[in-house]
Amino acid sequence: MGGGVVVAGEGKEALARLLQEAPLLGLKPVSRPEGAYALLVAGSLSGEEALALLHRFPRVLVVPSGPHGLLWAEVRDLGGVGALEVRQNLLLPGNLLLKRALDLVGGVVLLVPFLLLYPVVALLLRLEDPGPVLYRHLRVGQGGRRFFALKFRTMRQDGEEVLRRHLEANPEAQAEWMRERKLREDPRVLRVGRWLRRLSLDELPQALNVLRGEMSLVGPRPVTEEELERYGEALELYLRVRPGLTGLWQVSGRNGVPYERRVALDRYYVQNWSVWLDLYLLARTAWAVCRKEGAW
């Protein structure tokens, strides 16, 4: 697929910019009607205007109005009337069973390095900041059920007080915290914690969450109670599946991805899941970890 594209209708500037930012698609926005394609948002033109585009261009691309993933969509004939069937792949029962089988295999594989690393981390933490080896953070999972996501502890025992003083003294850090719920320079993180985070080893204990059925190897970000409101209309989709140890947001820039984009990526993943997508994201995650991309 490739050629000139005449972009028409509502949001045409944003659509043209999207094509310009993805040159590998081979679709170049043009202003004259000699293009091989027309591109428009569904419902943004009148019936007569849309029909004129169909008559003028050999190919017409129609973008749905709203954040809907259409990777797994096909045209169906309903007695002479065309309809577009959109499948939410990760909501189909057979796919859920297949994904759970993959999680059990992957969880057992991750359990081995977790058990080997545990005594090393315990010793390093004891030398720097004695206390629990594992940190339990309350998250919201499938069906709205609360569970404790496990991580190797990477922060000081008095971390909340340290954070409070830091935010009071640094307005820029306060704004960053309110926007992202994370800090690029977090004063609570221990030296051993920075090492664990840089290598993404702090999340190895979540192999236990995967084996217990609270998480999946790949899925949406596990979020806190206070983050739920930021998902808006995408919340229902999020609550239908298990959150993941890794996912689209991790391989798309991780902590550098704006929150709204994280929500959009979670929605896209649920709508377009496949075994191959999971395998691809696991491979991309391993590559990102090796290159230490996006970890704070």
Side-chain angles (χ1 to χ4, degrees):
M1 184 171 70
V5 180
V6 174
V7 184
E10 178 185 347
K12 62 182 181 181
E13 293 82 6
L15 288 174
R17 187 166 55 251
L18 179 67
L19 295 180
Q20 289 169 346
E21 293 173 352
L24 292 180
L25 293 176
L27 299 174
K28 181 180 179 181
V30 295
S31 57
R32 297 180 180 180
E34 292 96 22
Y37 294 85
L39 175 65
L40 70 150
V41 175
S44 65
L45 297 177
S46 68
E48 291 182 357
E49 291 172 320
L51 189 60
L53 286 176
L54 288 173
H55 290 166
R56 186 185 306 167
F57 292 90
R59 299 181 180 89
V60 177
L61 301 171
V62 181
V63 179
S65 57
H68 306 293
L70 294 177
L71 184 61
W72 295 96
E74 60 180 306
V75 176
R76 300 287 298 274
D77 178 20
L78 303 180
V81 177
L84 191 65
E85 178 186 348
V86 180
R87 295 194 300 273
Q88 314 285 0
N89 268 359
L90 203 44
L91 303 185
L92 298 175
N95 287 345
L96 287 173
L97 290 175
L98 177 58
K99 186 170 176 60
R100 182 60 186 151
L102 293 174
D103 286 341
L104 291 174
V105 173
V108 170
V109 171
L110 290 177
L111 190 63
V112 176
F114 162 65
L115 295 176
L116 293 174
L117 192 60
Y118 186 94
V120 177
V121 175
L123 175 61
L124 293 175
L125 284 173
R126 182 175 181 83
L127 294 174
E128 186 174 357
D129 186 56
V133 178
L134 298 181
Y135 173 70
R136 306 195 312 160
H137 197 183
L138 188 62
R139 301 285 172 144
V140 183
Q142 187 179 35
R145 290 185 291 273
R146 276 56 177 171
F147 70 98
F148 287 103
L150 301 176
K151 290 187 177 185
F152 282 124
R153 183 169 63 91
T154 60
M155 294 187 179
R156 295 171 47 165
Q157 292 273 69
D158 59 347
E160 293 306 314
E161 177 61 23
V162 171
L163 177 64
R164 184 187 64 80
R165 293 197 302 265
H166 180 72
L167 296 182
E168 287 179 354
N170 298 273
E172 290 185 2
Q174 174 75 30
E176 180 185 1
W177 177 258
M178 294 301 294
R179 184 176 63 252
E180 303 291 344
R181 309 305 298 176
K182 292 178 181 289
L183 293 177
R184 185 171 293 274
E185 297 296 334
D186 196 322
R188 300 171 295 172
V189 180
L190 299 163
R191 289 191 301 274
V192 60
R194 295 190 187 281
W195 172 71
L196 288 169
R197 289 186 175 195
R198 192 175 300 116
L199 298 176
S200 294
L201 295 175
D202 58 316
E203 296 180 348
L204 266 181
Q206 289 175 14
L208 298 176
N209 292 119
V210 172
L211 291 174
R212 292 198 299 230
E214 298 163 336
M215 294 181 65
S216 178
L217 289 176
V218 185
R221 300 175 54 252
V223 300
T224 61
E225 183 83 33
E226 60 187 4
E227 290 178 278
L228 291 179
E229 63 182 27
R230 304 184 70 171
Y231 270 69
E233 62 180 25
L235 179 60
E236 183 177 356
L237 268 183
Y238 171 82
L239 294 178
R240 295 287 295 275
V241 301
R242 294 183 179 93
L245 194 155
T246 187
L248 265 177
W249 78 277
Q250 288 96 328
V251 303
S252 302
R254 208 169 170 186
N255 293 303
V257 177
Y259 204 99
E260 294 74 16
R261 179 61 177 160
R262 299 180 194 179
V263 174
L265 289 172
D266 285 345
R267 179 203 295 270
Y268 181 90
Y269 173 79
V270 176
Q271 293 176 321
N272 298 293
W273 176 86
S274 71
V275 173
W276 302 112
L277 179 58
D278 270 9
L279 294 176
Y280 168 76
L281 292 176
L282 288 171
R284 281 288 305 274
T285 300
W287 177 249
V289 169
C290 291
R291 298 187 63 183
K292 304 173 186 176
E293 294 178 351
W296 294 359

